Amino acid sequence: MPGAATHAREPQSEIALHVAVWIHRAIDAAPAGHIPLLFLSGAQGSGKSTALRQAVSMLPEPVAGASLDDFYLTKAERAGLARRVSPLFATRGPPGTHDLALLRETVALLRGATGTSGTLIPAFDKLADDRSARETWYSFSGRPAAIVIEGWMMGALPEAGAADAPPLNAVEEEDASGVWRRYQGDALAGDYAALWDSADGFCHILAPGFDTVLGWRLEQEEALWRARGEAMPHERRAWAARFIQHYERITRRMLSGGRRPGADILIDAQRRVRPPQSS
């Protein structure tokens, strides 16, 4: 595939090669006229955003890539959810904090695109913790050969009894009644399951374990501040450590098999691709 050797020395490029092959095969296997909708998962900081961006640049076909992160509910909408259900929903990320209607609308617009028409794809400002202004959204030109959405929880399955299980961490200790976890489980079994049902395929980038995620998330956070031209404040480290606790239960479950079946890419702590595990 064109461009496959462009980033040969970058750790994420090895993941990108696998992702590009997965996308290419899905395009080849799609019925005539059908635009496959593909979901790419990976724990926070696993390199999925970089891998998707590089994979899209390698492929000869036009591929529309987007992130589930860019379809978060607005800050005001999450504040409303926090008042109605649980204060923990003020934090973005868990099931229930995404605007799935906007995601479905965007997919429909991409599938209906013709010629050189542009389709706007939303953007989310993580440092502002809110949806970016519409004029800053990315425009995909023309009709894509495939649509790929990446996100930490793509294909996650609900877990019976999760709301009544002992807390895993300090964040879950704040959910003594289990209402936050129960709402997530209901969302995973409802609107998110319906979204997963619409997919033509899944690919999962699998971390060696949850313990690596904090280090990766700190790298990610530092990069966000560097892009802003600032050093990451010291207190942001404590914020990141708490932040990932909101994702811990579902991330651990996905790593242990609680996910929709698909292609698996195993990686180590340095984000190098590992051989498949023997059965």
Side-chain angles (χ1 to χ4, degrees):
M1 286 176 288
T6 303
H7 303 283
R9 291 185 176 84
E10 295 181 27
Q12 286 93 339
S13 68
E14 192 178 4
I15 304 175
L17 285 168
H18 286 73
V19 172
V21 168
W22 167 66
I23 297 171
H24 191 71
R25 286 175 176 168
I27 293 171
D28 281 351
H34 177 69
I35 299 173
L37 174 62
L38 305 172
F39 293 148
L40 173 67
S41 84
Q44 287 196 347
S46 60
K48 59 188 177 297
S49 300
T50 300
L52 177 57
R53 184 174 64 251
Q54 292 180 358
V56 166
S57 72
M58 295 175 186
L59 291 162
E61 304 92 348
V63 174
S67 173
L68 183 65
D69 289 357
D70 288 323
F71 293 91
Y72 283 131
L73 295 171
T74 65
K75 194 171 188 176
E77 289 168 333
R78 296 195 322 274
L81 187 62
R83 288 192 298 271
R84 294 192 309 274
V85 182
S86 165
L88 291 172
F89 276 118
T91 298
R92 66 179 188 263
T97 62
H98 300 94
D99 190 337
L100 298 187
L102 178 60
L103 192 156
R104 289 191 296 269
E105 177 188 338
T106 303
V107 169
L109 289 171
L110 285 166
R111 280 180 160 161
T114 58
T116 58
S117 61
T119 302
L120 288 178
I121 298 176
F124 190 88
D125 185 333
K126 291 183 177 179
L127 292 182
D129 196 25
D130 209 350
R131 188 175 297 161
S132 300
R134 190 177 180 88
E135 56 267 23
T136 68
W137 293 8
Y138 167 69
S139 179
F140 182 86
S141 181
R143 182 177 174 83
I147 302 165
V148 187
I149 311 293
E150 56 89 357
W152 76 273
M153 54 169 282
M154 308 307 288
L157 298 176
E159 177 187 12
D164 302 313
L168 279 179
N169 53 44
V171 165
E172 289 197 355
E173 287 176 358
E174 297 175 21
D175 182 41
S177 66
V179 65
W180 178 67
R181 283 171 283 168
R182 190 170 294 109
Y183 190 94
Q184 292 181 64
D186 290 345
L188 280 177
D191 289 346
Y192 288 84
L195 180 63
W196 306 160
D197 288 343
S198 70
D200 292 284
F202 291 86
C203 180
H204 305 289
I205 301 171
L206 300 175
F210 187 78
D211 293 344
T212 62
V213 176
L214 176 58
W216 286 348
R217 186 61 184 83
L218 287 171
E219 290 176 8
Q220 201 175 45
E221 190 69 19
E222 287 168 353
L224 287 171
W225 286 89
R226 277 199 307 273
R228 192 173 171 172
E230 300 177 37
M232 184 177 77
H234 179 73
E235 60 271 17
R236 197 69 175 180
R237 179 176 293 271
W239 174 89
R242 174 181 165 81
F243 183 64
I244 67 165
Q245 291 182 3
H246 294 78
Y247 300 76
E248 182 173 359
R249 181 174 294 275
I250 295 174
T251 300
R252 287 186 183 276
R253 187 160 73 243
M254 290 187 74
L255 291 175
S256 63
R259 59 185 186 269
R260 291 287 180 102
D264 291 342
I265 303 172
L266 281 64
I267 61 172
D268 64 16
Q270 286 71 48
R271 304 183 188 87
R272 295 175 301 214
V273 176
R274 298 185 290 133
Q277 295 172 335
S278 57
S279 56

